[in-house]
Amino acid sequence: MPAALKTTDRKKPESKDHYDEVFEKTLDELNPAQRIAVGHIEGPVLVVAGPGTGKTHLLAARIGQILKETDAQAYNILCLTYTDAGTIAMRQRLLDFIGPLAYRVNIYTFHAFCNDIIQRYPDYFGNRDLIPISELETADLLMKMIDKLEPSNPIKRKKGKIYYEVKRMKDLFRKMKEESWTVEHLEHCINAYLEDLPLRDEYLYKKGNSKKGIKPGDIKQHLVDKETEKMTVLSAAVHLFPVFKKMMADANRYDYNDMILWVLEAFKNDEDFLRIQQEKYHYFLVDEFQDTNGAQSELLDHLIDYW
């Protein structure tokens, strides 16, 4: 009897008409600008609005409109957010609009999206049974790397705080991964910056000084030398990035930015693999697009390139 009671008390699934009614009511509550954003199905759309103005709600409504007006299936839509909480909120709104079909819409954080690709293609990505690296392990690897440097390396301090550069190197390597910057790219930027210094007003004397032999327009060499010294240290740190990546691999560790770089590298080097991913998705939506870093933006560029 208890089992029978549980069955009869169970809530019945809502009908399609119910979800259509909820969705139409939601559309009626949108202001004119929001209606334009939801109704513009084909081509790029950028929604700019302040916090708390319903941008996430608008994204969900846009997904509902795509499914209503086009032949696209729910699994043809890719929605990328920045937090797990964002994916949950998006899914919940979609459940209100389209019901259980919401579970077929691909809603991920950027990292979860890349991890899903890696897990679905183990033969392609090889052994990825790695362990996420902790902050303590990162610092330990960087200190070991500094210990092995030649005494002539600018990163190697002979006295005082010998691990002074550890924090800055950690931030640098994180940024290199986030922006998909190569050693060659940063080396080019450093050289261009140093070449430009003598042309900048702040590095030129505005007034002369006959006693010191300074004429207007002369270079403030002491300032240029100071910046050159900083860039020498930065260049040395940049060239250690591949060493650090190898140390992480040898230690069987990875960080979440690595997952994006692995997939990005696959997209760049294997057009057939990229095409497999592109064929799945017909519509792309990104929540909080202004926070997209270089690697994430490049990943998205590859996915939409086919279209």
Side-chain angles (χ1 to χ4, degrees):
M1 288 297 293
L5 286 174
K6 287 182 181 179
T7 301
T8 55
D9 289 346
R10 211 175 273 160
K11 185 179 180 181
K12 294 181 180 179
E14 300 288 358
S15 66
K16 182 179 182 302
D17 290 340
H18 166 79
Y19 293 117
D20 287 343
E21 183 181 339
V22 172
F23 183 60
E24 289 300 326
K25 183 179 179 182
T26 299
L27 293 182
D28 291 338
E29 294 172 351
L30 300 177
N31 63 41
Q34 291 173 327
R35 287 297 297 264
I36 293 173
V38 169
H40 187 89
I41 300 301
E42 301 302 328
V45 176
L46 179 66
V47 176
V48 182
T53 52
K55 293 190 297 295
T56 303
H57 183 75
L58 191 65
L59 272 179
R62 186 165 162 75
I63 292 173
Q65 192 73 3
I66 290 171
L67 293 173
K68 179 181 178 182
E69 289 192 10
T70 73
D71 294 331
Q73 301 299 310
Y75 55 77
N76 294 137
I77 299 173
L78 175 62
C79 183
L80 296 169
T81 71
Y82 281 86
T83 64
D84 292 329
T87 64
I88 294 172
M90 179 68 69
R91 188 86 65 190
Q92 184 57 53
R93 284 188 173 94
L94 275 178
L95 281 169
D96 295 336
F97 294 162
I98 62 177
L101 192 63
Y103 289 108
R104 298 187 183 181
V105 178
N106 295 283
I107 306 176
Y108 299 96
T109 64
F110 276 94
H111 296 106
F113 172 66
C114 290
N115 184 55
D116 183 67
I117 292 178
I118 291 167
Q119 297 302 324
R120 281 192 286 114
Y121 298 92
D123 293 338
Y124 186 90
F125 287 95
N127 177 26
R128 296 297 182 184
D129 188 21
L130 308 178
I131 302 171
I133 192 168
S134 67
E135 291 289 318
L136 184 61
E137 287 176 313
T138 300
D140 184 57
L141 285 183
L142 289 170
M143 288 189 288
K144 288 179 179 177
M145 184 170 64
I146 290 175
D147 289 339
K148 295 178 181 179
L149 295 177
E150 295 292 331
S152 59
N153 193 298
I155 301 295
K156 186 100 169 182
R157 296 200 172 206
K158 300 175 181 63
K159 57 183 179 180
K161 296 182 179 179
I162 59 176
Y163 301 121
Y164 178 80
E165 301 293 344
V166 164
K167 183 181 183 304
R168 294 202 292 183
M169 289 174 70
K170 179 168 70 70
D171 293 339
L172 170 66
F173 295 164
R174 174 185 54 78
K175 195 68 174 177
M176 289 179 72
K177 289 183 177 183
E178 288 178 348
E179 301 299 335
S180 191
W181 288 339
T182 63
V183 173
E184 294 74 21
H185 169 72
L186 285 183
E187 192 63 33
H188 172 77
C189 292
I190 290 171
N191 291 334
Y193 172 69
L194 291 176
E195 290 174 6
D196 187 58
L197 286 183
L199 305 177
R200 300 187 179 194
D201 287 344
E202 61 267 35
Y203 290 90
L204 300 175
Y205 286 103
K206 304 293 188 301
K207 299 179 180 179
N209 188 324
S210 57
K211 292 182 180 180
K212 296 183 178 180
I214 297 173
K215 292 182 284 187
D218 281 353
I219 299 172
K220 297 178 180 179
Q221 193 59 48
H222 65 290
L223 294 182
V224 173
D225 291 342
K226 188 175 181 180
E227 284 302 297
T228 301
E229 184 178 349
K230 289 181 181 178
M231 292 301 104
T232 300
V233 175
L234 175 59
S235 178
V238 166
H239 280 84
L240 289 173
F241 181 55
V243 178
F244 179 68
K245 287 172 63 178
K246 185 178 184 306
M247 291 179 72
M248 282 187 63
D250 292 343
N252 205 40
R253 294 293 187 275
Y254 76 97
D255 62 33
Y256 290 112
N257 288 314
D258 286 324
M259 291 190 293
I260 293 180
L261 294 180
W262 291 335
V263 174
L264 189 54
E265 184 179 359
F267 285 177
K268 290 178 180 178
N269 298 331
D270 191 334
E271 185 174 349
D272 290 336
F273 183 75
L274 173 60
R275 291 288 180 261
I276 291 172
Q277 309 309 317
Q278 289 175 331
E279 288 176 358
K280 296 178 183 177
Y281 307 113
H282 301 174
Y283 293 92
F284 305 85
L285 302 96
V286 183
D287 197 14
E288 304 294 349
F289 180 76
Q290 76 280 356
D291 293 330
T292 305
N293 62 38
Q296 293 167 339
S297 181
E298 192 175 355
L299 185 81
L300 192 60
D301 285 342
H302 278 82
L303 286 170
I304 68 175
D305 182 60
Y306 179 81
W307 300 104

